[in-house]
Amino acid sequence: MALQGNYVLTLGVTAWALAQILKTMLAWIMGKKFKAERLIGSGGMPSSHSALVCSVLIAVWRYEGIHSTMFALALILAAIVMYDAMGVRRETGNQAKILNKLLVEWLDESDPEGNNKQLKELVGHTPFEVIGGAVLGVVLALVIGPVSG
């Protein structure tokens, strides 16, 4: 498989997977209930998106150097992803909470069978969750260096 030896891609996927596992474990510990959705779901601590883009950023820096075009692209991508997670996606989750509350109040009367569908509320991140993911990605990339071959 051609992608098997791709250090940057392998590290990014590893950081994402580790963040998702940590997120699931933390949700399990805090909520006293296992939720399989946390293994692939967005939102929560740590941000798997931040872990992924920050690990890729450091991997590109270590592999290609800080003056490379790929480093510039990885830096810009990381900034956009983390800004979006704390801004647009977090606000979307806040709006979903309000809409869900309104839907419950309005639809309880008109939907006695309870068929109303709730909007997903956990889609964004707090700054702390984004920082947690970023630190995870950076540390992982510093620990797992490129394999010289």
Side-chain angles (χ1 to χ4, degrees), residues 31-51:
K32 308 286 188 222
K33 184 178 178 186
F34 177 76
K35 294 181 182 179
E37 183 274 335
R38 294 286 68 216
L39 285 169
I40 57 170
S42 59
M45 173 66 170
S47 165
S48 57
H49 292 90
S50 297

Side-chain angles (χ1 to χ4, degrees), residues 31-93:
K32 308 286 188 222
K33 184 178 178 186
F34 177 76
K35 294 181 182 179
E37 183 274 335
R38 294 286 68 216
L39 285 169
I40 57 170
S42 59
M45 173 66 170
S47 165
S48 57
H49 292 90
S50 297
L52 187 151
V53 295
C54 286
S55 68
V56 165
L57 175 67
I58 300 303
V60 168
W61 166 62
R62 292 183 77 179
Y63 194 71
E64 297 195 20
I66 199 167
H67 299 291
S68 71
T69 302
M70 291 306 295
F71 178 81
L73 290 172
L75 178 62
I76 291 167
L77 176 66
I80 290 170
V81 167
M82 292 186 294
Y83 177 81
D84 181 66
M86 290 185 296
V88 176
R89 287 182 38 231
R90 184 173 178 204
E91 191 58 34
T92 299

